[in-house]
Amino acid sequence: AQSVTQPDIHITVSEGASLELRCNYSYGATPYLFWYVQSPGQGLQLLLKYFSGDTLVQGIKGFEAEFKRSQSSFNLRKPSVHWSDAAEYFCAHNYGQNFVFGPGTRLSVLP
Amino acid sequence: EAGVAQSPRYKIIEKRQSVAFWCNPISGHATLYWYQQILGQGPKLLIQFQNNGVVDDSQLPKDRFSAERLKGVDSTLKIQPAKLEDSAVYLCASSLEFQSQETQYFGPGTRLLVL
């Protein structure tokens, strides 16, 4: 069965520091990959997605992600974190209309 | 444009009671999804509709959960009877078409607590 893993349950970074959130998928073929953010009490908002072409994709709020087929990874990055980035981040993939979310990584930001 | 609307936002019921959630997708979106998000976990797809037809309900506990999308627009998700383990946030999402690369737009969710 297809699965998405996010190895880090909780990450804490200082404001202004760089960020990388890890995501790995299990399906062999190239899936469609997504990163969503969920703020407390809010629905999920799409940050970015990848389905073909350039393996480095740019998203909203200064986020980017890089697809690496050899590592089955789609890690999310941001060069300088803002306090408002504190939230839960979910990686997801969609293959054959089977949309699967990872367990999420909670990001805390220190002032 | 208006986003995905869900109601109620919160619901508290006792076990064995029934409950229903309502979702109004973004206008023109053909595909609608219901997810269950248990605390500390990622959303799990329960059912997806293309217009008013069910595409996939393989993860829907059909002995107690039901969903419909009459007229291919609004949708309701019902639980009858509810169990303690049904406590979760129920998210509705919609997308323009039923394609793998389509973005899903999520509503704010309905938080259910079963006592």
Side-chain angles (χ1 to χ4, degrees):
Chain A
Q2 300 135 15
S3 68
V4 176
T5 56
Q6 294 180 248
D8 304 304
I9 297 174
H10 184 204
I11 286 182
T12 300
V13 300
S14 297
E15 191 169 19
S18 63
L19 171 70
E20 182 170 29
L21 302 181
R22 296 182 290 166
C23 171
N24 294 94
Y25 63 93
S26 67
Y27 200 75
T30 301
Y32 299 98
L33 295 161
F34 304 77
W35 273 101
Y36 281 85
V37 61
Q38 187 177 36
S39 298
Q42 303 294 316
L44 286 88
Q45 180 184 23
L46 179 71
L47 289 175
L48 47 79
K49 64 181 179 180
Y50 170 82
F51 52 90
S52 67
D54 193 346
T55 57
L56 184 65
V57 293
Q58 303 297 320
I60 62 171
K61 303 184 179 185
F63 286 93
E64 66 178 26
E66 185 172 15
F67 171 63
K68 293 185 177 180
R69 183 191 303 274
S70 61
Q71 299 177 18
S72 297
S73 69
F74 188 56
N75 294 349
L76 182 71
R77 300 194 294 250
K78 186 170 185 177
S80 178
V81 171
H82 187 263
W83 64 265
S84 61
D85 293 325
E88 189 91 20
Y89 291 80
F90 294 95
C91 181
H93 80 68
N94 192 7
Y95 191 84
Q97 286 77 48
N98 186 4
F99 208 89
V100 176
F101 280 89
T105 297
R106 184 161 63 94
L107 174 65
S108 296
V109 180
L110 299 175
Chain B
E1 94 188 335
V4 176
Q6 290 187 248
S7 68
R9 292 296 307 276
Y10 305 93
K11 190 74 176 178
I12 301 174
I13 62 172
E14 295 186 349
K15 60 182 179 183
R16 291 187 289 273
Q17 285 187 323
S18 63
V19 65
F21 313 127
W22 173 82
C23 173
N24 185 19
I26 293 173
S27 177
H29 279 197
T31 311
L32 185 146
Y33 311 78
W34 282 103
Y35 290 86
Q36 180 193 58
Q37 186 178 19
I38 293 173
L39 187 64
Q41 299 181 19
K44 183 185 81 171
L45 181 65
L46 293 175
I47 187 169
Q48 50 182 320
F49 293 92
Q50 174 74 358
N51 295 313
N52 61 349
V54 175
V55 174
D56 180 12
D57 63 356
S58 58
Q59 299 193 86
L60 187 73
K62 299 180 187 64
D63 58 333
R64 298 184 299 106
F65 286 65
S66 65
E68 61 182 8
R69 191 183 183 197
L70 300 176
K71 302 180 182 179
V73 181
D74 294 5
S75 177
T76 56
L77 176 69
K78 297 179 182 178
I79 308 175
Q80 182 178 10
K83 293 185 175 181
L84 297 178
E85 57 262 36
D86 297 332
S87 295
V89 176
Y90 291 85
L91 296 166
C92 179
S94 69
S95 64
L96 191 59
E97 294 291 342
F98 184 58
Q99 295 181 22
S100 295
Q101 69 269 34
E102 281 291 333
T103 297
Q104 295 186 27
Y105 296 87
F106 285 81
T110 296
R111 187 175 298 273
L112 173 67
L113 179 60
V114 182
L115 302 175

